[in-house]
Amino acid sequence: MLEYIETSFSFIETHPEIFSYTMYFYYLLSTNAEFVKGNEEFLNTAIKRVESLIFESIGRGFYKKPENIKRKAKQIHTLLYGNLLLTFTQHNKNLEYAERMDHTKEGILNIMNQG
């Protein structure tokens, strides 16, 4: 799970043009209903990936099995993507990078330790 977070933050640093496209896609979603289905598929795929990582982390003994894994996967995806957007849009990304990545990791621990 933590490797997924680090890879995600590294991605926005090494591929800003692709992440810019993602931000533009989200803008289109907010202004054009034709893009909603594509977004829904993207989100479902991303949430399934986080679910898989949660199951893997449980299997490796990092976390106890929570009650509602799908809900936690949605929360983690939202936290991660929100912090990626905040980091990407800051003028000084280097300072934000470490702080937001740490915030994301702490948030995931809190989500996974909730009942």
Side-chain angles (χ1 to χ4, degrees):
M1 181 83 70
L2 297 179
E3 199 172 281
Y4 179 64
I5 294 163
E6 291 168 1
T7 301
S8 297
F9 275 91
S10 177
F11 180 83
I12 68 169
E13 188 175 39
T14 56
H15 301 290
E17 65 288 343
I18 296 172
F19 198 74
S20 291
Y21 175 76
T22 303
M23 289 176 57
Y24 176 69
F25 184 69
Y26 272 113
Y27 165 76
L28 287 177
L29 290 171
S30 67
T31 59
N32 188 334
E34 291 177 28
F35 291 92
V36 170
K37 181 141 180 72
N39 181 54
E40 196 174 310
E41 290 172 14
F42 169 77
L43 288 176
N44 287 335
T45 300
I47 290 167
K48 278 284 186 202
R49 175 68 178 136
V50 174
E51 274 185 77
S52 295
L53 291 170
I54 290 172
F55 280 115
E56 181 181 326
S57 296
I58 292 167
R60 296 174 121 195
F62 295 121
Y63 307 113
K64 295 179 183 174
K65 186 175 179 186
E67 288 184 23
N68 193 337
I69 291 175
K70 185 166 187 89
R71 180 172 164 258
K72 291 192 182 298
K74 287 179 182 180
Q75 291 173 329
I76 289 170
H77 172 76
T78 302
L79 174 69
L80 173 60
Y81 212 83
N83 277 322
L84 289 172
L85 286 171
L86 288 171
T87 301
F88 189 75
T89 57
Q90 295 297 313
H91 176 67
N92 191 344
K93 292 176 183 53
N94 292 336
L95 291 176
E96 285 292 316
Y97 182 89
E99 184 180 328
R100 295 283 178 200
M101 189 164 43
D102 288 345
H103 176 262
T104 305
K105 289 177 181 180
E106 290 171 14
I108 287 173
L109 287 174
N110 288 335
I111 290 168
M112 291 305 296
N113 289 327
Q114 290 174 352

